[in-house]
Amino acid sequence: MNGTDDTDDTGDVDEKSDKAKGKTIETPASKRVGMGTQFLADVPANPFNQTEPRNFAPRPRMNGQMPPPVFNLGSRPGTAGTVGVSAPPGSSNSATPVMNQVAPAVTSQALILPAIPQGQVAQVAPGPAAEEVRVTRSEKLNALTSGNNGLPGATAALHPDNFPFMEGYNLSIPSNYGVVKIKNIPFNSRRTEIIAFLGRNSRILNDTEEPVHIIMERVTSKTQDAYVEFMTFADAVKAVERHNELQKKGRQTRLGDRPVEVELSSQGALMRDLFPFAAGIFWNGSIPQIQEPVEGQPWKTFKGFVTEEEMTMLVKFVEAPGRSPFARDCNQRPFETMISTLKKLPWFAAEHITIRQRWVIYTATMNLIHLLRRGLNEPNPRREKEDSNLTPQLLKRLYTAAMLCPGFSVVQKDNIAFAAGWGDANLSQFNQPRFAELWAHQHILVAKPGVPNDLLEWYIAVIREETTRHMGTQSLTYRRNAFQLRDAAQERGYFGFLWLELGFPEATELGKMTLKEVAMREIAMIEGVLSRAFLGN
């Protein structure tokens, strides 16, 4: 995993098992930007995006549910005669309402209309949805579609109160929790021992926030110091004062059999130790301030918060623990380091994180998940004696940290959930949409927390129909090339031809784009599609 070449060096994430599970290849990436009438003959022979996850086939956990049928924009005045759009391949045209956990949902008027055969003209009478449909919808969708023709104007559709998408990294915010540093800890210290050492009355962060960060030296995997995050700065001060009072009374504080030092620290110190190879940064608390490059000193130039070699070494310490005695005797540390990396990496600084860098972190996470699962499933006499640090609880912590990671895409989280064997009931707490495996080309955008599923899927249905309708206005040659590109990539069309309108570059060039650049293009393109769809309303 050196450089950003086109080689698909991510195939070690259990690619053979992915194929056995029916997964397919991900994103086709046209070199076009926009949806003009440009000829697609320059599309390369291998159009697959090798930087983002490639496996997005339906999961068995879908329990027979299929994507909703078409929302027919042919009901707009002046659009009669446009080509009707059938549901995505494999979808159902059943009239049964689609239910969701936020509110009962019917995704479109088409659910109460006869199925429209592929390629035929859609004949839908203008007007709002029938009352029997509206009673099954969420209040938010009913309010949005309460106009005379059942469609909102572009202004209402794009209003922040209605728009159901957001940048995933915006769920990450700088933290200002109090921090305590514990020095000289035993190399095999456990998280539970550190929490017990601080006492049950200490107001450390909730377990899901992963308050304990045990620093691992990246070259040897040797345990260094530990940082613990508290609810407030005052809580951290109290913990240190309690330790100092014990020392004044002549009581030596120990962790295991070793005397330790407890001192007040900061978010900046924690970030410096947790991301040791992030050069050219001044940490203002948990906020990174990128410094100007120093001429003649490239080692002081910022290249990323983590390196590919660093992530590779985490996996290698698990694959070959004999490389280091510390890795052999403290085998949980690489997994804990990855958990801390996922929780503390400043995803909100999206302008400094590239798609490639995110892919490296995601790949290492998936590899560690597979290795930990395999380690738990293999017979191990030490585990029978409860001597092993590799436990199902550690695996659950790793899963949870990955699913809550604000930097991962919907599809990446769906792959993690699939590896965990979680069903839809488990995914609701992680803000995953239904049919998450079909969000193959949404690299950054996610569903806003709390948005009703029917509203989200209604927007997706509009995008699907409008981009497909727009494709029907292009030249025959253009459409033929686009369909060939779609078929080659096994694109299932949940978002219609949005992937083509986005026009992302391929592999290496896409990997160089920052998360913020990708997000801006995704939002701009969706806004353009919706403005087109509701023109005149």
Side-chain angles (χ1 to χ4, degrees):
M1 300 199 323
N2 298 320
T4 55
D5 58 350
D6 285 343
T7 304
D8 189 2
D9 52 5
T10 62
D12 55 348
V13 187
D14 220 355
E15 184 176 7
K16 293 184 179 179
S17 64
D18 287 347
K19 293 181 179 179
K21 294 170 186 170
K23 298 184 180 181
T24 52
I25 298 175
E26 200 213 36
T27 310
S30 168
K31 285 190 174 180
R32 301 173 53 258
V33 177
M35 268 294 295
T37 57
Q38 180 180 346
F39 184 64
L40 292 181
D42 61 343
V43 173
N46 179 19
F48 306 126
N49 165 16
Q50 297 175 340
T51 302
E52 286 293 281
R54 300 171 302 158
N55 39 358
F56 62 100
R59 309 291 196 262
R61 62 174 174 77
M62 291 175 64
N63 298 324
Q65 297 184 50
M66 298 308 296
V70 64
F71 177 88
N72 198 293
L73 292 173
S75 60
R76 290 208 319 272
T79 61
T82 58
V83 177
V85 184
S86 65
S91 64
S92 170
N93 286 316
S94 169
T96 302
V98 177
M99 309 297 288
N100 73 54
Q101 297 164 353
V102 179
V106 174
T107 60
S108 71
Q109 295 179 22
L111 285 173
I112 60 169
L113 296 171
I116 302 172
Q118 177 76 23
Q120 292 192 9
V121 176
Q123 298 292 340
V124 182
E131 185 60 28
E132 58 266 32
V133 174
R134 293 181 62 82
V135 296
T136 64
R137 287 178 168 179
S138 66
E139 293 182 4
K140 204 155 191 177
L141 181 56
N142 278 332
L144 185 65
T145 58
S146 59
N148 292 332
N149 64 351
L151 297 175
T155 301
L158 296 174
H159 193 279
D161 290 344
N162 298 320
F163 193 69
F165 306 102
M166 69 171 292
E167 304 94 328
Y169 55 73
N170 278 341
L171 295 172
S172 167
I173 58 175
S175 58
N176 58 354
Y177 302 119
V179 179
V180 165
K181 184 177 183 178
I182 306 177
K183 303 171 67 175
N184 195 42
I185 65 175
F187 82 93
N188 60 347
S189 297
R190 300 188 183 189
R191 172 176 175 268
T192 52
E193 293 173 336
I194 292 175
I195 294 175
F197 168 79
L198 292 169
R200 61 182 178 181
N201 293 327
S202 298
R203 298 186 67 237
I204 65 176
L205 295 184
N206 186 280
D207 275 354
T208 58
E209 296 294 325
E210 293 293 340
V212 179
H213 307 282
I214 302 176
I215 305 301
M216 185 191 81
E217 203 280 322
R218 300 301 198 266
V219 177
T220 63
S221 82
K222 181 180 179 180
T223 297
Q224 296 181 313
D225 301 320
Y227 290 86
V228 183
E229 294 185 279
F230 288 74
M231 298 294 293
T232 66
F233 178 77
D235 294 324
V237 171
K238 290 179 182 177
V240 175
E241 289 177 346
R242 191 181 309 116
H243 168 77
N244 292 338
E245 289 174 2
L246 292 175
Q247 285 191 321
K248 289 178 182 179
K249 295 177 181 178
R251 295 175 57 184
Q252 184 71 52
T253 51
R254 295 176 178 272
L255 187 59
D257 58 355
R258 179 181 294 186
V260 296
E261 301 176 30
V262 180
E263 63 182 36
L264 193 63
S265 190
S266 65
Q267 287 286 334
L270 167 58
M271 299 299 275
R272 282 193 298 273
D273 282 355
L274 195 54
F275 302 104
F277 297 122
I281 291 182
F282 172 76
W283 290 103
N284 181 11
S286 61
I287 301 175
Q289 296 179 350
I290 309 302
Q291 306 299 294
E292 292 293 330
V294 179
E295 185 175 354
Q297 299 181 14
W299 59 88
K300 293 186 177 180
T301 301
F302 175 78
K303 298 181 179 65
F305 297 107
V306 298
T307 65
E308 296 194 21
E309 292 77 10
E310 181 182 359
M311 292 293 100
T312 300
M313 287 303 296
L314 282 183
V315 178
K316 293 298 183 184
F317 282 134
V318 178
E319 290 179 332
R323 297 164 63 97
S324 166
F326 304 107
R328 182 182 62 249
D329 298 332
C330 193
N331 52 2
Q332 83 276 23
R333 200 69 74 221
F335 301 102
E336 293 177 337
T337 300
M338 177 56 75
I339 291 172
S340 293
T341 299
L342 295 175
K343 297 298 292 186
K344 295 300 294 181
L345 195 139
W347 295 103
F348 53 84
E351 68 276 16
H352 301 303
I353 304 173
T354 66
I355 291 289
R356 174 71 184 186
Q357 289 163 354
R358 180 183 70 171
W359 171 252
V360 169
I361 297 171
Y362 165 75
T363 304
T365 301
M366 288 294 289
N367 279 324
L368 289 176
I369 286 173
H370 289 306
L371 289 168
L372 183 52
R373 287 188 65 188
R374 188 174 67 189
L376 291 173
N377 292 331
E378 289 178 351
N380 188 338
R382 292 187 63 193
R383 190 174 303 113
E384 294 175 4
K385 299 178 182 179
E386 299 182 349
D387 289 334
S388 177
N389 295 316
L390 303 184
T391 65
Q393 290 74 21
L394 179 61
L395 179 60
K396 183 178 179 180
R397 287 174 55 205
L398 183 56
Y399 278 138
T400 302
M403 290 298 293
L404 291 176
C405 177
F408 287 165
S409 69
V410 170
V411 167
Q412 287 173 333
K413 291 184 178 182
D414 190 67
N415 291 337
I416 293 165
F418 182 72
W422 287 345
D424 291 336
N426 300 91
L427 297 184
S428 60
Q429 61 182 309
F430 299 113
N431 194 44
Q432 281 288 89
R434 298 191 327 143
F435 318 116
E437 68 278 1
L438 300 180
W439 288 54
H441 307 293
Q442 310 314 307
H443 299 277
I444 305 298
L445 295 191
V446 301
K448 283 183 179 177
V451 67
N453 278 347
D454 63 345
L455 180 67
L456 175 66
E457 293 175 11
W458 183 88
Y459 270 86
I460 294 173
V462 171
I463 293 170
R464 180 169 63 244
E465 173 127 354
E466 172 56 29
T467 55
T468 309
R469 182 202 64 80
H470 189 68
M471 174 61 66
T473 67
Q474 306 303 308
S475 69
L476 178 62
T477 302
Y478 180 93
R479 282 180 286 151
R480 182 178 65 246
N481 283 275
F483 292 148
Q484 290 175 351
L485 185 60
R486 178 196 63 185
D487 295 341
Q490 302 180 33
E491 164 60 38
R492 299 189 62 207
Y494 186 49
F495 279 84
F497 283 89
L498 182 63
W499 58 271
L500 187 58
E501 298 201 27
L502 284 167
F504 282 122
E506 292 185 69
T508 302
E509 294 305 313
L510 176 60
K512 294 177 182 177
M513 294 180 68
T514 66
L515 303 189
K516 188 170 185 178
E517 290 172 338
V518 173
M520 290 176 63
R521 183 181 294 196
E522 288 182 354
I523 290 178
M525 195 57 62
I526 288 178
E527 287 179 345
V529 170
L530 294 177
S531 297
R532 222 166 52 210
F534 299 125
L535 183 65
N537 280 280

